[in-house]
Amino acid sequence: MYTQAMSVGPQDVAAQTKSAEEAAREAAFEARIDAGDFIEAKDWMPEHYRKTLVRQISQHAHSEIVGMLPEGNWITRAPTLKRKAILLAKVQDEGGHGLYLYSAAETLGTSRDQMLAALHSGKAKYSSIFNYPTLTWADIGVVGWLVDGAAIMNQVPLCRCSFAPYARAMIRVCREESFHQRQGYESLLVMMREGTAEQKAMVQDAVNRWWWPSLMMFGPADKDSPNSEQSMRWGIKRISNDDLRQKFVDATIPQAEVLGITVPDPDLKWNAQTEHYDFGAIDWAEFWRVVGGDGPCNRERLATRVKAWDEGAWVREAALAHARKHMNKEQVA
Ligand SMILES: [Fe+2]
Ligand SMILES: [Fe+2]
């Protein structure tokens, strides 16, 4: 009681003044967002905006590097030198995307070590799509076509994200994703046009396994995605999950027809009234199970990342020692 009385003093006045100042800053920030301005790392931003971005960009970075694993699995088994060179380049691109994105997230004041510790402890998420296995060579084509295709749909609007370092990173990432999608589609076209009956069946089987997880890449339905609204208001997210998913289905079905494959959805049909494809219900129980850590490869992916981190300790130490030596030399000079 006394403490309550005592706490009404200059400190509280200061707190109130500060909160009025804070409110003015927030209003100025919101006005910049509404005007379509880009926010730079050095600019003032609400703590919640910063946290949302660190979470989103670091999850995106984790997805890029974990995404190297299912495809890396096929580098040594690519059927020709040409396919091997393409796959190597693609997997390297994904590593590069991870690095740009970690750098963009670091500008918000969270270190790479902190982000990686969150990934390795299982606290941070990455895209659940990478918790599915790549069982045959056709999976590599289908991952390029559908998974990179869905990634492009998701990421093109991020080139206009209100946080400038993220938006800038996404421009280059999207150009490379477009090559990833096309190489996947082209490799499937070759299998479907020139392949044996067995190879064609392999493509269809891969599509059957990857179709629904690809649709899940757009996240929960809008009605179950409470954070989306705030992200849309802040210009971090420009198009809703359901709208992006619909765009993806509309763009992909004509490509499936050219390939000569079907998608495993008996409810899929063109709706002349809406001028969109109607499609069947997504198994959200599976989605949440995989997000929650119980997908086919969650444990394997995390264990592989942790092992790579541990075994790479000597590289990090050597790089730091080299940088220190270099710095000392410069100081002496
Ligand atoms: Fe990527
Ligand atoms: Fe990609």
Side-chain angles (χ1 to χ4, degrees), residues 90 94 97 148 177 180:
K90 180 190 190 290
E94 307 298 9
H97 297 172
D148 290 273
E177 293 303 351
H180 298 170

Side-chain angles (χ1 to χ4, degrees), residues 20-293:
E21 238 173 63
E22 195 95 332
R25 273 186 191 164
E26 269 201 57
F29 176 84
E30 301 282 345
R32 286 187 66 188
I33 295 280
D34 292 345
D37 262 13
F38 285 99
I39 308 298
E40 292 291 345
K42 62 178 177 9
D43 296 342
W44 185 88
M45 61 187 79
E47 228 14 64
H48 189 194
Y49 177 85
R50 184 185 297 276
K51 278 197 184 128
T52 302
L53 278 165
V54 168
R55 195 184 59 231
Q56 179 169 337
I57 303 173
S58 63
Q59 276 181 13
H60 190 166
H62 299 329
S63 304
E64 299 286 354
I65 59 164
V66 176
M68 296 167 80
L69 302 175
E71 289 181 296
N73 180 35
W74 279 89
I75 290 174
T76 55
R77 292 176 289 163
T80 64
L81 184 59
K82 178 182 137 185
R83 295 289 170 203
K84 186 177 180 134
I86 294 173
L87 184 57
L88 262 174
K90 180 190 190 290
V91 172
Q92 273 182 344
D93 282 353
E94 307 298 9
H97 297 172
L99 298 184
Y100 309 145
L101 290 164
Y102 283 125
S103 300
E106 277 178 317
T107 66
L108 291 161
T110 303
S111 73
R112 196 170 301 209
D113 281 353
Q114 283 172 303
M115 291 185 264
L116 286 169
L119 172 67
H120 296 157
S121 69
K123 204 177 126 221
K125 299 280 177 230
Y126 53 85
S127 179
S128 275
I129 193 77
F130 302 118
N131 289 317
Y132 290 85
T134 42
L135 301 179
T136 69
W137 171 252
D139 287 43
I140 297 305
V142 171
V143 166
W145 175 41
L146 296 180
V147 175
D148 290 273
I152 293 169
M153 244 355 141
N154 260 327
Q155 291 171 15
V156 165
L158 291 173
C159 298
R160 292 182 295 120
C161 165
S162 61
F163 183 57
Y166 194 24
R168 281 192 291 265
M170 292 318 297
I171 292 171
R172 177 158 175 186
V173 168
C174 283
R175 285 196 192 122
E176 291 175 350
E177 293 303 351
S178 153
F179 151 70
H180 298 170
Q181 196 263 358
R182 291 168 73 134
Q183 64 80 34
Y185 191 69
E186 193 267 344
S187 92
L188 296 178
L189 260 185
V190 170
M191 275 192 270
M192 292 304 291
R193 288 189 175 159
E194 297 162 29
T196 60
E198 205 183 350
Q199 285 169 322
K200 290 177 191 175
M202 200 163 84
V203 174
Q204 181 63 61
D205 170 66
V207 172
N208 292 348
R209 285 180 287 106
W210 287 93
W211 176 250
W212 289 109
S214 299
L215 293 194
M216 293 176 197
M217 282 176 71
F218 298 94
D222 292 346
K223 63 175 174 49
D224 300 319
S225 183
N227 293 333
S228 286
E229 209 186 301
Q230 179 66 69
S231 284
M232 298 270 277
R233 257 210 321 277
W234 274 334
I236 296 173
K237 200 179 169 84
R238 299 282 184 186
I239 308 179
S240 83
N241 295 356
D242 287 337
D243 288 350
L244 283 170
R245 192 167 7 247
Q246 184 68 57
K247 265 168 82 95
F248 175 72
V249 173
D250 291 346
T252 308
I253 296 304
Q255 296 169 357
E257 284 164 5
V258 172
L259 274 180
I261 52 98
T262 55
V263 300
D265 180 357
D267 296 324
L268 184 106
K269 63 172 186 303
W270 176 250
N271 183 328
Q273 259 175 348
T274 60
E275 300 202 321
H276 292 294
Y277 283 94
D278 291 336
F279 54 94
I282 288 172
D283 181 355
W284 292 115
E286 175 180 328
F287 172 80
W288 291 115
R289 193 169 59 243
V290 183
V291 169

